[in-house]
């Protein structure tokens, strides 16, 4: 079996297995939880990060400001990565696929019904949750549960397949790790500059 046929077969199998979840899409319970899905869209999550950053600056609380900066950086990275992947893979969303699910090489389509892979909502939610966990370990469990619930809701809404959500979660996790590395590197550079300046001043004005 060729690679393309294997991918199509796997996609059809996942689509069929998702039928019970798709049947819940129009239920009152899923509709009631829709605001949670909306809350993990790009603008709200970015606003949350920027708001946290601004709050830390106003209150002069470096830890809060750093948490906001980590949230914003992680989210921007997740958004960039998922955008690249969405342009690379054409996948019709479960609620639009009918009985013919498709997974093909991407053509950079702007058709939102064909860019199911990966789940951008999940990527952003996990990136923010991991950023919160990094700065506030005590909030790790509720933050991760909220991100997990947001991802699961994408499946029950018929917006994404499970594999889309898993890929989105991986992107969010990786984005936060990259953001942490970048912030640590930037912080180290600043510290070295401060130390070098202090040494220079000491040499210029020995006691």
């Amino acid at each position: 079996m060729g690679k393309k046929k294997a991918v199509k077969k796997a996609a059809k199998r996942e689509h069929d297995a998702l039928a019970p979840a798709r049947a819940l899409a129009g239920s009152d319970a899923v509709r009631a939880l829709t605001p949670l899905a909306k809350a993990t869209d790009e603008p709200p999550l970015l606003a949350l990060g920027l708001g946290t950053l601004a709050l830390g600056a106003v209150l002069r609380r470096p830890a809060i400001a750093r948490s906001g900066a980590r949230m914003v950086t992680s989210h921007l990275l997740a958004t960039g990565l998922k955008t690249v992947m969405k342009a690379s893979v054409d996948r019709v969303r479960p609620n639009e696929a009918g009985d013919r699910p498709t997974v093909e090489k991407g053509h950079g389509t702007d058709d939102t019904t064909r860019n199911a892979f990966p789940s951008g909502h999940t990527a952003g939610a996990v990136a923010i949750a991991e950023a919160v966990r990094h700065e506030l370990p005590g909030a790790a469990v509720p933050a991760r549960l909220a991100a997990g619930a947001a991802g699961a809701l994408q499946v029950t809404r018929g917006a994404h397949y499970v594999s889309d959500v898993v890929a989105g979660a991986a992107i969010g996790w990786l984005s936060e790790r990259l953001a942490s590395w970048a912030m640590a590197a930037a912080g180290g550079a600043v510290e070295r500059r401060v130390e070098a300046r202090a040494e220079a001043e000491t040499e210029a004005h020995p006691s």
Side-chain angles (χ1 to χ4, degrees):
M1 182 184 297
K3 182 179 179 180
K4 186 175 293 187
K5 286 186 177 181
V7 170
K8 288 185 176 180
K9 186 175 181 179
K12 183 66 166 62
R13 188 182 298 119
E14 184 177 16
H15 182 78
D16 292 343
L18 193 63
R22 291 201 310 276
L24 298 173
S27 68
D28 292 338
V30 172
R31 282 201 296 266
L33 291 172
T34 297
L36 176 59
K38 300 295 184 182
T40 56
D41 206 351
E42 291 176 24
L45 289 180
L46 185 57
L48 177 62
L50 290 172
T52 303
L53 177 59
L55 181 64
V58 170
L59 297 180
R60 296 184 180 180
R61 298 285 296 274
I64 295 177
R66 186 173 60 249
S67 179
R70 190 182 303 279
M71 291 164 70
V72 171
T73 305
S74 300
H75 183 262
L76 290 177
L77 284 170
T79 298
L81 288 174
K82 68 92 178 176
T83 299
V84 171
M85 291 189 68
K86 280 183 179 292
S88 302
V89 179
D90 284 354
R91 187 177 201 181
V92 177
R93 295 180 184 276
N95 55 11
E96 300 284 347
D99 293 327
R100 303 190 58 162
T102 60
V103 180
E104 303 172 344
K105 181 179 179 181
H107 299 88
T109 180
D110 291 327
D111 184 355
T112 58
T113 66
R114 299 182 63 84
N115 62 1
F117 184 87
S119 169
H121 285 76
T122 306
V126 170
I128 292 292
E130 290 301 295
V132 171
R133 176 205 61 80
H134 195 114
E135 296 293 341
L136 299 170
V141 173
R144 284 175 165 173
L145 285 176
L153 186 56
Q154 300 306 315
V155 176
T156 56
R157 291 176 63 228
H160 289 285
Y161 293 96
V162 173
S163 55
D164 302 334
V165 171
V166 171
I171 289 173
W173 183 89
L174 176 61
S175 297
E176 193 280 330
R177 296 309 187 272
L178 290 173
S180 294
W181 173 82
M183 290 180 67
V190 171
E191 289 180 3
R192 288 191 295 272
R193 183 173 296 180
V194 170
E195 290 175 358
R197 182 174 296 178
E199 290 179 0
E201 291 181 357
T202 300
E203 293 175 357
H205 305 90
S207 57

